[in-house]
Amino acid sequence: MTDVLAVADHRRGELRDVSYELVSAGRELADAAGGELHLAVISGPVEEYAEKLNREGVDAVHTVSHGEEFNHDVYTQAISQLVDALEPGFVLAPNSVNGLDYAPAVATQLDRPLVTDVVGVAVDGDTLEATREMYGGKVETTVEVDAADGAVVTIREAEWPPAEGTGDAAIEAFDAAIDEAAVGSTVTGFEEVAGGDVDIADAEVLVSVGRGIEDEENLELVEELADAMGATLSSSRPIVDAGWLPPNRQVGQSGKVVTPEVYIAVGISGAVQHVAGMKGSETIVAINTDPNAPIMDIADYAIHDDLFDVVPALIEQFQ
Amino acid sequence: MKVLVTVKEVATVDDEFEIAGTEIDDRFLGADLNEWDEYALEEAVQLTEDGVADEVVTVTIGPEDAEQTIRQALAKGADRAIRVWDDALADVDLLDVGAKTAILEAVVAEEEPDLVLTGVQTGDDSFGATGVALAADLGVQWAAVVNELELDADAGVASVHRELEGGVEELTDVELPAVLSIQTGINEPRYASLRGIRQAQRKELAAKTLADLGLEDDDVAAELTLTDMYEPETETDVTIFEGDASDTAGQLADLLRDKGVAQ
């Protein structure tokens, strides 16, 4: 019997979607290990969150009322104390920016193995079998984790379906003793990335450019295509990192989530963070020389060819 | 102020490759400085240029082959480098977070830096956890996924922006000493100049074994074992346009016209 403790993610007064995905992943893992699924929700309006998280398959929700927003010191202390009290085998956290800001510290403090960015789980006795990707999604791997003394696992967002239905979980306030002297970081505010004049989330057709464009001067070619088609220009992260396009053009986990009718990915390999921002597009077209690029897994149409040959030919079609 | 930067040589994979057991066959692999670490290094070098830091030291866990990559980091402005390797590490398929952290912790104990910068993740195993685990091990502060950094060395505070999902940044003050994991885009990593490359050859690159750091094989025993590696199954039935560029462009244009999204 191995119980699971899954930690919900929230920001600025709202539970994030991954919290419901954690319920599904947590239930799956608890079933495999023959245990119960406990949730922890820390900081913010925890009572309200707990009601929302009480979905099918949840055995208990533990609320830790402390401050409004995420603070990794508070999370690390609260989770460690919850683990001492509940003795779950597995601690499950989202592989989100905040999850990655506390899960490694929790694993260190509990002296448990850590496996991050997991996309599949199985349990065989005392061994956790986790599925992970390597090399930017080019390969998938199975990793065995000696979980006799438990393990800390972070799960990739959008890999499990969000849990639905209403559960009959016990909702219990957990009185964590937070050592304020050990809280060494303070959140002082939030800032939205500059908006600019174009909102790519509104576009019906996006021509999106990635690392394959190689040089800033080559961007002109893709701009010309977007103009010829009456489409809006967007990009993957490296183009914004390089300063070739402003942040408001970035599609992805840390940029905008877009759902256009047509998304044309030009020279984009399809890193998971990018895919998270565009997989809801109605029709996805990929132009890329690499037939094994992860973008091909979600594309509806593909051209396996050099973008420097295809894009000029395409411009000609629309002129 | 001394800044320690973790630098990893990561494997790069060709478009076409074959898997041998639980590894990608060597023939299809290249090597490069981990992209995220490049940004961490650049941030550290800029701190010396701004007069905030006095010394930038890099630390790498890797075999002798990695020295070419370490020299790249030295050429870009690091003052000296430490490389840790040992026979006990050579047979490990997947060096997990605990093992990496144990080694880095020993290096930090020797070097006593005021600030440690790591990349957010590596391009090969992508654990994304070493920086935070290291900080927790050391009992110092940390921040993950930093895309803006301002240091007030006198006040002992790092004011950072953390890049959250969905175009939102969190502003956080972190007490020093600290470990910060650096996100791409925080700066523009420089190319190594010819002068830098020449100077790098003369900079100190110290090789250390586990024993040199007071560690034993058990300290780096892996808790994770890589048991299988395979190419992911494709889930979609993608339609591939065949032919030369004008053929494929024509087919795509027809499709877009049919959908009424282009004229």
Side-chain angles (χ1 to χ4, degrees):
Chain A
M1 286 267 290
T2 301
D3 293 343
V4 174
L5 176 69
V7 186
D9 219 23
H10 61 85
R11 187 190 304 157
R12 302 166 95 179
E14 297 217 13
L15 280 171
R16 298 190 61 241
D17 291 346
V18 71
S19 298
Y20 302 111
E21 296 158 19
L22 273 162
V23 173
S24 299
R27 188 64 258 167
E28 187 184 324
L29 189 56
D31 284 345
E36 292 189 336
L37 172 61
H38 294 251
L39 299 186
V41 59
I42 304 164
S43 303
V46 288
E47 306 293 330
E48 181 194 318
Y49 291 154
E51 290 299 334
K52 289 183 177 164
L53 288 165
N54 186 4
R55 297 203 169 179
E56 226 170 282
V58 180
D59 294 298
V61 185
H62 305 272
T63 61
V64 178
S65 188
H66 193 283
E68 279 311 299
E69 288 295 341
F70 171 78
N71 177 292
H72 63 226
D73 292 309
V74 173
Y75 267 58
T76 306
Q77 291 187 39
I79 295 164
S80 297
Q81 290 172 32
L82 273 162
V83 169
D84 286 343
L86 303 168
E87 299 183 341
F90 297 109
V91 176
L92 220 53
N95 202 69
S96 61
V97 173
N98 283 347
L100 287 173
D101 199 40
Y102 67 81
V106 169
T108 300
Q109 207 152 83
L110 297 173
D111 199 17
R112 291 182 174 202
L114 169 72
V115 54
T116 60
D117 204 15
V118 166
V119 297
V121 285
V123 176
D124 183 6
D126 279 339
T127 303
L128 169 74
E129 290 177 348
T131 308
R132 307 179 73 244
E133 290 179 351
M134 278 178 71
Y135 304 110
K138 283 194 164 179
V139 300
E140 215 158 76
T141 63
T142 307
V143 175
E144 285 188 1
V145 186
D146 177 2
D149 299 319
V152 178
V153 178
T154 71
I155 64 154
R156 182 177 288 180
E157 300 193 44
E159 283 294 324
W160 276 266
E164 292 178 357
T166 311
D168 50 5
I171 296 178
E172 293 165 2
F174 181 80
D175 192 13
I178 303 298
D179 175 8
E180 295 294 342
V183 175
S185 66
T186 317
V187 177
T188 57
F190 293 93
E191 221 173 76
E192 306 273 347
V193 165
D197 53 338
V198 174
D199 190 353
I200 56 172
D202 289 341
E204 284 183 13
V205 185
L206 283 172
V207 173
S208 206
V209 60
R211 214 188 274 264
I213 198 69
E214 293 171 3
D215 279 315
E216 185 173 14
E217 59 197 37
N218 297 334
L219 258 190
E220 211 174 293
L221 186 67
V222 186
E223 269 169 317
E224 208 180 315
L225 175 63
D227 281 349
M229 289 180 58
T232 304
L233 184 68
S234 59
S235 82
S236 64
R237 173 174 199 113
I239 305 300
V240 172
D241 278 350
W244 299 349
L245 282 175
N248 64 323
R249 300 282 181 154
Q250 186 184 324
V251 173
Q253 212 161 51
S254 51
K256 288 254 169 135
V257 174
V258 297
T259 53
E261 278 179 49
V262 175
Y263 188 89
I264 304 177
V266 181
I268 290 178
S269 67
V272 59
Q273 293 87 347
H274 182 77
V275 168
M278 47 67 78
K279 66 183 175 199
S281 306
E282 217 165 285
T283 301
I284 296 168
V285 181
I287 302 172
N288 200 309
T289 46
D290 179 5
N292 297 317
I295 191 87
M296 299 303 168
D297 293 346
I298 58 153
D300 300 294
Y301 299 91
I303 297 173
H304 296 161
D305 204 348
D306 192 337
L307 73 91
F308 295 107
D309 294 330
V310 177
V311 172
L314 206 49
I315 292 168
E316 223 168 273
Q317 288 283 337
F318 292 111
Q319 276 172 345
Chain B
M1 172 182 268
K2 186 198 279 190
V3 184
L4 184 73
V5 185
T6 62
V7 167
K8 186 178 180 185
E9 181 184 271
V10 293
T12 55
V13 182
D14 294 347
D15 285 351
E16 301 283 343
F17 61 88
E18 288 170 22
I19 293 168
T22 54
E23 291 175 343
I24 291 177
D25 194 302
D26 274 353
R27 289 175 294 154
F28 307 100
L29 293 177
D32 209 351
L33 175 57
N34 180 45
E35 184 182 356
W36 287 263
D37 296 347
E38 276 202 62
Y39 288 84
L41 174 68
E42 176 64 32
E43 200 63 19
V45 172
Q46 286 187 13
L47 285 173
T48 57
E49 289 168 346
D50 294 345
V52 180
D54 313 307
E55 189 181 24
V56 175
V57 183
T58 67
V59 53
T60 301
I61 302 169
E64 203 175 342
D65 286 353
E67 291 200 353
Q68 201 181 336
T69 297
I70 298 169
R71 294 280 175 206
Q72 269 184 50
L74 290 169
K76 290 181 181 203
D79 296 298
R80 61 188 170 86
I82 297 163
R83 178 178 66 80
V84 182
W85 196 241
D86 203 282
D87 290 343
L89 301 171
D91 297 330
V92 180
D93 269 351
L94 186 65
L95 200 60
D96 59 36
V97 176
K100 285 180 204 166
T101 306
I103 294 167
L104 295 174
E105 188 189 0
V107 172
V108 170
E110 279 195 351
E111 291 289 330
E112 297 183 339
D114 304 279
L115 182 69
V116 179
L117 301 182
T118 72
V120 164
Q121 64 178 67
T122 53
D124 47 11
D125 58 29
S126 309
F127 278 114
T130 306
V132 174
L134 175 62
D137 235 8
L138 293 166
V140 301
Q141 264 304 315
W142 72 87
V145 195
V146 169
N147 70 347
E148 204 176 312
L149 166 65
E150 212 173 288
L151 268 185
D152 187 339
D154 294 335
V157 175
S159 297
V160 303
H161 285 213
R162 294 180 58 234
E163 183 190 83
L164 304 180
E165 295 86 354
V168 177
E169 294 180 1
E170 178 200 278
L171 283 55
T172 301
D173 286 344
V174 182
E175 290 172 7
L176 296 179
V179 182
L180 307 177
S181 77
I182 301 296
Q183 175 64 301
T184 60
I186 188 172
N187 52 43
E188 204 174 319
R190 71 195 64 193
Y191 289 100
S193 64
L194 274 175
R195 188 163 158 260
I197 292 167
R198 272 201 305 274
Q199 283 176 340
Q201 295 306 321
R202 294 193 297 273
K203 287 181 179 174
E204 180 188 333
L205 199 172
K208 287 181 188 284
T209 62
L210 294 181
D212 293 337
L213 294 168
L215 293 170
E216 294 177 9
D217 292 5
D218 275 358
D219 294 321
V220 296
E223 293 173 299
L224 271 54
T225 316
L226 192 59
T227 56
D228 200 7
M229 180 181 284
Y230 47 90
E231 288 191 50
E233 278 174 36
T234 305
E235 282 165 13
T236 69
D237 33 349
V238 55
T239 302
I240 297 161
F241 294 130
E242 306 277 0
D244 65 18
S246 66
D247 292 339
T248 55
Q251 292 168 65
L252 176 54
D254 288 345
L255 171 83
L256 297 172
R257 286 191 196 101
D258 283 351
K259 289 189 173 292
V261 295
Q263 296 306 305

